[in-house]
Amino acid sequence: MKGSQKIIDALNEGLTIELTAINLYFISSKMCKDWGFAKLAKHFYDESIEEMKHADQVIDRILYLEGVPEIARYDVIRVGKTVEEQIQNSLELEMKGVSTYNSAIELCHEEKDAGSRELMDQMVVESEESIDWCESQMELIKQVGIQNYLAGQIHE
């Protein structure tokens, strides 16, 4: 089904966020594992896989609309040198994702594309859940201190 080029472009913007997130979460997972923070490593790894599934869904939708998925586009991948930086970078990327998808959802209403809107609605909800997790972790760090927080991240 030939879809709106505006929607395909919006989906590709979302795909850029998803591909960036895969890499951001994957490197955060590897670094946390190397530092001995198994619980965080698992969380970031699971997030990376979730983002891969999101990218898969977005690619499928772009192809359904007879568009070309822009898989070589990435946003800046900010590799955190500390756990706090990793969480903050994740928060910023997820917030960008929510903003990107919310703008695209408005376009879907204009273009009368309920299928793409439904997919993007799902992406917003899942990104908001990730934002909530990041904000909770930052609050935990603030309340218990970084050392106590990290001590709780050693074991799964």
Side-chain angles (χ1 to χ4, degrees), residues 17 19 22 24 60 76 86 147 154:
I17 300 291
L19 294 172
I22 292 167
L24 175 66
D60 284 347
V76 176
Q86 290 175 341
Q147 297 305 319
I154 294 171

Side-chain angles (χ1 to χ4, degrees), residues 26-125:
F26 188 73
I27 192 59
S28 294
S29 173
K30 290 297 194 179
M31 292 172 77
C32 284
K33 183 178 180 184
D34 185 60
W35 295 333
F37 302 124
K39 186 175 179 181
L40 274 176
K42 181 178 180 343
H43 170 79
F44 284 130
Y45 181 81
D46 290 346
E47 285 289 315
S48 178
I49 297 301
E50 182 179 297
E51 300 297 346
M52 193 178 302
K53 291 175 183 175
H54 291 171
D56 181 59
Q57 291 173 302
V58 173
I59 288 169
D60 284 347
R61 186 68 188 177
I62 292 168
L63 292 172
Y64 173 76
L65 297 175
E66 298 181 20
V68 177
E70 302 275 341
I71 62 165
R73 282 189 344 198
Y74 291 89
D75 201 339
V76 176
I77 301 171
R78 300 186 197 293
V79 179
K81 294 181 179 104
T82 66
V83 166
E84 283 179 281
E85 286 179 15
Q86 290 175 341
I87 295 169
Q88 184 62 40
N89 292 343
S90 299
L91 176 61
E92 290 170 9
L93 185 59
E94 293 291 350
M95 290 176 76
K96 187 172 186 176
V98 166
S99 176
T100 298
Y101 281 123
N102 275 329
S103 295
I105 288 166
E106 289 178 27
L107 179 64
C108 288
H109 286 293
E110 293 168 16
E111 297 287 315
K112 297 182 179 17
D113 183 342
S116 296
R117 188 205 72 237
E118 184 178 321
L119 174 62
M120 291 187 228
D121 283 339
Q122 172 194 334
M123 300 301 174
V124 168
V125 169

